[in-house]
Structure formats: C-alpha cells, structure tokens
Amino acid sequence: MKSQLLFGAVVLAAVGLFVYSATIGQARASADVKRLPAPETNLEEQGDTAEAVFAGGCFWCVEAYFEPLRGVTDVVSGYAGGSAGDANYNAVSAGRTEHVEVVKVTYDPSAITYGDLLHVFFTLHNPMEGNGQRPDYGPHYRPAVFYADADEKRVAGAYIEQLNAAGVFDGPIQTGLEELIEFFPAEEYHQDFAARNPNHPYIVRWSNPKVVKLNKAFGYLIGEPMSKIERSEDEWRELLTSEEFYILRQDGTERPFTSPLNDEKRDGMYHCAGCEMALFSSEAKYDSGTGWPSFYEPVAPNVIAEKEDRKFGMIRTEVECAGCGGHQGHVFNDGPRPTGLRYCINGIALDFKPAG
C-alpha cells in the first residue's frame, strides 16, 4: 500500500488540497480515544537506557507516536521476525519474507516505563486487527509486542490478559507476543519519515490522527513533568472559601446528595477547585447512586495522587490533586468498565467547566 502511495506521490500532490480538507475531518473524528486502564504489572527496570520493540502496522505511524514521549531518546524503524538477507523494504513490503515492520524504542526508565509504552501502544493501534492495521494488511503488517526476555513477555502478556478481562474490546486481543531474535534497521529514507514529510498524503491521512490521539490521551507523558503548588495555610485560607478549605486542606467530606455536580449532565471538564488542574472528564462520569460525583478514571494517571487513609477505623485509598495536594475524595474497586474503579469525589473540591 505504501509503495503505491510513494509511486503515485506526484499525482496525489495535485489533489493535495482535497486530501488535506478531507483529512481534517478525519483527524477530528479520530480524536475520540478508547481509554484503556494502565498496566497493573510493570518491569523493575534499572539503569538509564532500555529498549522495546513494537509492531503496529506501518512503521511510519508507530514511530510518529512514540517519538514525542518524554523519556524516549530514539525510535528506529526496522524489521523483525526474519533473517538479515532479505530484511529490506522491497522484499518485506511485497510479503516475500517472514519479517514484520517494527520500531525499536530506546528510553530512559526513570522518565517513562515499559508499562507506559505498552499503554500507549495498545491505545493507539487496533488490537482487534491481527492481520495488519488499516490501511495496510498482510503478515508483514501484523501487530505484535516483540519481547527480548522473559520479563518483557510476562509483563506484556499480563497486560493483554488484563485488557481481555476488562472487556474493553469486542473480543480477545489479536495482537501477538513474539520473541525478538534480531532487529534490522530499515532504510534511511524511512527514518523519521513523518517528521520529515509532514504533508505526505499517507502521513496526513493515517499518521496524524494517531498523534492527535496521543496528545489527547497521553499529554501527561509529553513535555516536562508537572511541579506541585506549595502554599501556606494562611494563603490557602485566603484563596478558598471556608467550605473549600475544609474539603481540600482538612480532608473533609461533604454530605451526600448536596453537590449540584452530582446531577451535572453536560459535557465538560472537572477541575480542582484549589489549583484549576483538569482532573476528570464528563466522558468518565457516571451515576454511582452514592450521592457524590463519581468517575471511573481521571483524565490522566499523573493528575491524581493516592495515599492510604486509616481514619474512622477503615483502610481506604484517599485521592488528592497532584497539582496542589488538595483532598478530593477516595477511590474504590467497585466501579464500571473499563477500569472497575469508582473515584468518589467531593463536589466542593471541583470546578466544572462546560465544553464549548
């Protein structure tokens, strides 16, 4: 498929305006992301460099969504699953070898984990397509996690089992687990292809929407990590109402069914009332029947901090805003799919901002 696009690039360029206009709508439509739970199992990694290899269809697309991640130092397009003698694009793209297009991701485990990479990968490719990824099909485009050792196999396999058990897809995951025997770098013109050819019709049509999804679902893994706001008690008292101070800074709890946000049905975002960090989306809100605003996930894992709460003779998991440390509520393991979690939040701790 890609070779045909390369051959016809001149012709496609003549209708570039049409392609661009059509794909703007495609990119916007593709911005809706199926949010997956993060891996419950991860590698215990040491050192400042590690590598992981993934096959997710066209390596131009996969390379493009791994490169922006914080802690990723290099992404190389290449081939795996075959021998060195025929590890070249002409043979692989024609389906004459046992290779599959892959990318090798080099990363710093102190900045981003193997579990993070798995989370991104399974969110941005289609695990239900086992014989390629739209629009490219055939064994040389099959999706797979290529594991280098038993630990990578165990963690990747555990995540696949976790996603299957959560029922987030319409059937068992088709993405494979394959042993990495050897990685063969692809030809130079394939490296950083999306970055060097941002207006190429294939990139505009198929790669760019994945990057849009990356930014929407994993913005917390791009750029510098957030820093926590620190204020004195007097400063917080001056900034907050007495009710907000009681909830956010004294770990208080509002009475159930008293917050208007419990019945809020509009699309929008729920921000921390203490620092305005976006914490929850209306997409993840549901009626838990408890009388408090409830969500099955935050907008990103790093906007929430958790700690053990042993007050009142119970052991619970307290939820705080990671931006300012303001108490939000608690999280319980009795929520709906896809996460099975219930973030039970004080409405006073939130500011709702409608969409639009």
Side-chain angles (χ1 to χ4, degrees):
M1 176 66 74
K2 288 183 298 177
S3 59
Q4 294 172 349
L5 283 170
L6 286 167
F7 178 78
V10 175
V11 176
L12 286 170
V15 292
L17 181 59
F18 170 79
V19 173
Y20 176 78
S21 300
T23 53
I24 289 298
Q26 166 74 13
R28 288 173 178 166
S30 298
D32 293 331
V33 184
K34 181 187 286 290
R35 295 188 181 274
L36 308 182
E40 297 172 349
T41 304
N42 212 336
L43 290 180
E44 295 183 4
E45 300 175 285
Q46 298 180 348
D48 57 8
T49 300
E51 295 178 347
V53 175
F54 301 96
C58 166
F59 46 27
W60 295 347
C61 297
V62 183
E63 180 185 64
Y65 63 69
F66 275 124
E67 283 187 330
L69 296 174
R70 179 174 64 248
V72 169
T73 57
D74 193 26
V75 184
V76 179
S77 292
Y79 314 104
S83 59
D86 50 6
N88 64 81
Y89 185 70
N90 288 337
V92 174
S93 63
R96 298 196 303 264
T97 78
E98 296 180 356
H99 297 91
V100 60
E101 290 193 9
V102 300
V103 299
K104 180 173 71 173
V105 181
T106 303
Y107 64 100
D108 178 355
S110 68
I112 192 168
T113 68
Y114 185 65
D116 290 328
L117 299 179
L118 287 172
H119 195 190
V120 170
F121 176 63
F122 277 93
T123 300
L124 296 182
H125 85 284
N126 183 357
M128 299 305 296
E129 291 189 308
N131 189 41
Q133 295 284 287
R134 187 181 183 199
D136 303 306
Y137 293 97
H140 47 299
Y141 290 117
R142 66 188 183 274
V145 177
F146 279 83
Y147 58 88
D149 55 40
D151 285 336
E152 286 187 4
K153 182 181 181 181
R154 173 181 54 83
V155 171
Y159 191 41
I160 291 174
E161 291 180 3
Q162 176 188 339
L163 294 177
N164 280 333
V168 294
F169 297 106
D170 296 330
I173 286 174
Q174 302 300 305
T175 301
L177 272 177
E178 301 187 31
E179 183 180 6
L180 179 65
I181 304 302
E182 190 170 358
F183 170 83
F184 307 101
E187 294 81 354
E188 180 58 32
Y189 70 90
H190 285 300
Q191 308 303 329
D192 300 311
F193 190 90
R196 292 187 292 105
N197 300 275
N199 297 320
H200 190 286
Y202 187 96
I203 297 302
V204 174
R205 178 67 175 85
W206 300 107
S207 178
N208 289 356
K210 292 181 182 290
V211 177
V212 171
K213 289 183 178 182
L214 173 75
N215 283 279
K216 182 174 182 180
F218 297 101
Y220 64 94
L221 290 178
I222 300 171
E224 293 301 315
M226 69 183 69
S227 57
K228 187 175 179 179
I229 296 172
E230 300 288 350
R231 290 192 173 99
S232 68
E233 180 176 328
D234 288 341
E235 288 173 326
W236 282 119
R237 287 187 181 276
E238 185 175 343
L239 285 170
L240 303 173
T241 67
S242 58
E243 292 85 0
E244 289 171 340
F245 185 85
Y246 168 65
I247 299 294
L248 290 165
R249 311 314 306 178
Q250 295 182 317
D251 300 346
T253 301
E254 67 192 15
R255 289 185 294 113
F257 300 102
T258 59
S259 172
L261 295 185
N262 187 51
D263 298 317
E264 180 61 67
K265 300 293 193 295
R266 291 173 294 173
D267 293 339
M269 298 293 290
Y270 293 80
H271 297 248
C272 173
C275 67
E276 290 301 309
M277 175 177 285
L279 300 180
F280 301 97
S281 167
S282 59
E283 295 177 1
K285 189 172 186 286
Y286 73 102
D287 183 3
S288 66
T290 61
W292 288 280
S294 298
F295 308 84
Y296 60 76
E297 68 177 354
V299 294
N302 73 331
V303 302
I304 289 295
E306 298 180 2
K307 67 179 184 181
E308 188 177 89
D309 178 4
R310 289 181 171 266
K311 293 190 293 292
F312 309 114
M314 298 180 288
I315 300 177
R316 297 178 295 173
T317 301
E318 181 182 350
V319 173
E320 294 182 344
C321 168
C324 66
H327 172 73
Q328 293 290 318
H330 294 83
V331 60
F332 302 93
N333 293 317
D334 57 7
R337 291 181 176 181
T339 65
L341 299 176
R342 171 171 59 94
Y343 288 86
C344 187
I345 306 300
N346 291 285
I348 291 174
L350 299 172
D351 282 337
F352 175 69
K353 296 185 179 181

